[in-house]
Amino acid sequence: MSISEKLQTIAENEQKVYDSGMTKGIEQGKKAEYDAFWDSYQDYGNRTDYRRAFNLKWWGDKNFYPKYDMFIKGAPNDGFAESTITNLKKRLEECGVILDFSGATAFSYVFNSSKITDIGVVNTTGAPSLGSLFNSAYSLKNIDALILKKDGSQAFSNDPFRMCQELENITIEGVIGQNGLNLQWSTKLSKASIESVINCLSTTTSGLSVTLSKAAVNKAFETSVGANNGATSTEWTTLIGTRSNWTISLV
Amino acid sequence: MAKTIIARDGYIFTDGETYGTQIRLAEGVSESDFYEITEAEYEEILRKNVEVLESGI
């Protein structure tokens, strides 16, 4: 190797060392910036009031990387309203962060007009009412589990599922026993989800009604592929026959 | 035995709170509690409900 070649190699190596240090420095800077923001925003994990915390379109997949678990207390009203976060469940898993609603005492438009498609577990047992929890969550497709009180005392009076037009999958645990439930907007609701809803209706109340989408029932309980006749199927009538204390409406 | 009522085409059954084209009545609930409204009337009720909800946001 000639002297000029050696000098060239040294210069290139120096550049690589410089670039490497620069990259490391940027990463360190980003990490420091990330920590500074989320340490402050989540009060080093001590924050419990998430009212309007991730509200409006500025909160999306590009910047929603929470650092600490969120054990919510009080009323997380508008917590994710109008946010452009999409798969909330996946992002929380990626961040290794728990979102726990069990300490929430009220729910007002928490996911209103957001772009959220997937939510993991929503434990509502700390609240006397579901309020307008999922109201106008136009993009919501999957709720892994909606946990209700076992005594059926929670109110559903503020249409918690109003305009949930994309909702396909929901598993409900607990008992629905106060107000009627209205899922008429969810025309894509799966069979398992509809069964979950019916099976959660209290067997001891009277004077209550549940409304479902006739299109969803027709599809979910159809007797053969494409028949679209589930609302008259034996399987459907048998299912709702287990809750003869409820008026069950299809619209 | 629980009864199911089915509205005529273009109509919706309601008792003022529950709406449906096909309603399986709970035991003890009378068919006479329900009456038919037109789909247009139903759409108007939905529209007004949205206005009430949005004014409360």
Side-chain angles (χ1 to χ4, degrees):
Chain A
M1 183 183 286
S2 67
I3 291 173
S4 64
E5 286 171 336
K6 284 181 181 175
L7 288 173
Q8 178 67 28
T9 303
I10 290 168
E12 285 173 358
N13 285 339
E14 275 188 0
Q15 186 63 45
K16 284 177 185 171
V17 170
Y18 174 80
D19 289 345
S20 171
M22 190 72 167
T23 302
K24 195 174 178 184
I26 289 170
E27 283 172 2
Q28 285 174 343
K30 281 182 177 174
K31 177 72 167 63
E33 205 170 75
Y34 169 85
D35 285 339
F37 176 80
W38 288 101
D39 288 347
S40 171
Y41 204 66
Q42 294 191 279
D43 190 19
Y44 295 91
N46 296 314
R47 181 173 181 171
T48 57
D49 181 354
Y50 280 88
R51 192 177 325 202
R52 299 190 186 90
F54 307 110
N55 182 208
L56 299 179
K57 64 181 180 181
W58 322 114
W59 281 105
D61 292 336
K62 286 184 178 176
N63 58 7
F64 180 73
Y65 289 93
K67 181 178 177 181
Y68 298 100
D69 291 340
M70 293 177 268
F71 293 99
I72 293 172
K73 291 183 179 172
N77 298 345
D78 296 313
F80 291 89
E82 297 182 52
S83 84
T84 54
I85 301 162
T86 53
N87 192 329
L88 178 61
K89 178 191 171 186
K90 185 179 172 192
R91 176 53 55 86
L92 291 171
E93 286 172 353
E94 288 168 350
C95 293
V97 164
I98 295 167
L99 173 59
D100 184 345
F101 285 102
S102 64
T105 54
F107 298 103
S108 179
Y109 296 102
V110 182
F111 300 100
N112 176 35
S113 299
S114 76
K115 302 288 186 198
I116 292 171
T117 59
D118 294 72
I119 298 175
V121 175
V122 181
N123 186 332
T124 67
T125 54
S129 165
L130 262 69
S132 44
L133 179 55
F134 303 112
N135 195 312
S136 300
Y138 302 112
S139 303
L140 186 56
K141 281 188 179 176
N142 302 303
I143 303 170
D144 281 1
L146 174 66
I147 303 176
L148 308 175
K149 290 184 179 183
K150 291 179 179 173
D151 63 3
S153 64
Q154 289 171 292
F156 284 76
S157 50
N158 285 335
D159 248 346
F161 293 97
R162 184 178 184 82
M163 300 303 290
C164 287
Q165 58 207 23
E166 295 297 324
L167 187 62
E168 294 178 19
N169 300 298
I170 180 171
T171 301
I172 301 180
E173 298 172 17
V175 175
I176 300 167
Q178 270 298 316
N179 307 99
L181 176 63
N182 191 350
L183 280 158
Q184 73 178 84
W185 292 275
S186 304
T187 57
K188 301 174 184 175
L189 210 55
S190 70
K191 184 176 182 180
S193 302
I194 294 170
E195 289 172 338
S196 177
V197 170
I198 299 296
N199 289 331
C200 282
L201 301 177
S202 167
T203 56
T204 57
T205 55
S206 62
L208 299 180
S209 67
V210 60
T211 301
L212 294 164
S213 158
K214 191 171 186 177
V217 171
N218 269 335
K219 176 69 180 165
F221 291 87
E222 63 186 7
T223 53
S224 59
V225 177
N228 210 32
N229 61 353
T232 56
S233 71
T234 303
E235 195 175 12
W236 167 248
T237 52
T238 301
L239 176 66
I240 61 175
T242 64
R243 296 296 186 279
S244 56
N245 56 322
W246 282 76
T247 291
I248 298 178
S249 174
L250 304 180
V251 68
Chain B
M1 171 126 182
K3 180 170 185 174
T4 297
I5 55 175
I6 298 174
R8 292 175 293 162
D9 282 348
Y11 289 84
I12 306 276
F13 266 123
T14 182
D15 61 354
E17 288 186 11
T18 299
Y19 298 85
T21 56
Q22 176 179 327
I23 303 176
R24 199 293 307 275
L25 303 175
E27 288 172 349
V29 173
S30 170
E31 184 176 353
S32 62
D33 294 339
F34 287 81
Y35 53 92
E36 283 182 326
I37 58 173
T38 64
E39 284 181 346
E41 288 170 322
Y42 177 60
E43 293 298 325
E44 181 64 11
I45 290 166
L46 285 180
R47 193 186 61 75
K48 284 182 178 172
N49 283 347
V50 169
E51 283 179 4
V52 170
L53 280 168
E54 290 182 345
S55 67
I57 294 176

